[in-house]
Amino acid sequence: MLRIGIEKMLSEQLCQPMSFAEACKYLNVSKSYLYKCTHKNLIPYYKPGGKKIFFSKKDLNDWIFKYRIKSDSEIEKIISEEYT
C-alpha cells in the first residue's frame, strides 16, 4: 500500500512542469547554458503562449541519460566479445 502511494507521488512529480529556474537548479547548469540549449533545440521544452519556458522532469531525465559514455571496462568487454 505504501509502495503504491510512493510510486504515485513520484509519477505526479515527473508530470509537474518545471520553471526555467527550477530546471537550471535541477540540471545544475547556468541560465546562459540552458538558454543556449533551448535556442538550439538541443533540449526538449514547452513554451505555451510563446513567452515563458517550462520543462518536464521526465524529458530532462531522458535528455540527461541519452548521452551516457561507456566505461573503459565496458569498451574492453565489447572488443573482446567481437574477437572471440
Side-chain angles (χ1 to χ4, degrees):
M1 186 74 152
L2 179 62
R3 181 178 176 190
I4 294 170
I6 293 171
E7 288 174 353
K8 182 179 178 191
M9 185 176 71
L10 290 174
S11 175
E12 288 172 358
Q13 283 181 346
L14 286 176
C15 295
Q16 293 292 323
M18 296 176 77
S19 70
F20 191 86
E22 290 170 329
C24 287
K25 186 174 181 178
Y26 181 70
L27 295 171
N28 194 27
V29 298
S30 67
K31 288 182 180 182
S32 63
Y33 178 77
L34 193 54
Y35 273 123
K36 199 178 293 184
C37 288
T38 58
H39 178 73
K40 294 180 179 181
N41 291 323
L42 299 175
I43 191 167
Y45 64 96
Y46 301 87
K47 200 171 182 181
K51 291 271 183 181
K52 286 188 166 189
I53 294 174
F54 295 94
F55 299 88
S56 156
K57 191 178 240 184
K58 181 186 180 318
D59 288 346
L60 294 179
N61 286 342
D62 291 345
W63 180 73
I64 290 168
F65 293 117
K66 184 167 72 171
Y67 296 102
R68 183 176 182 278
I69 308 297
K70 287 182 174 49
S71 69
D72 287 345
S73 62
E74 289 173 312
I75 293 170
E76 289 174 8
K77 183 179 177 185
I78 291 169
I79 292 170
S80 69
E81 287 173 354
E82 287 180 5
Y83 292 106
T84 56

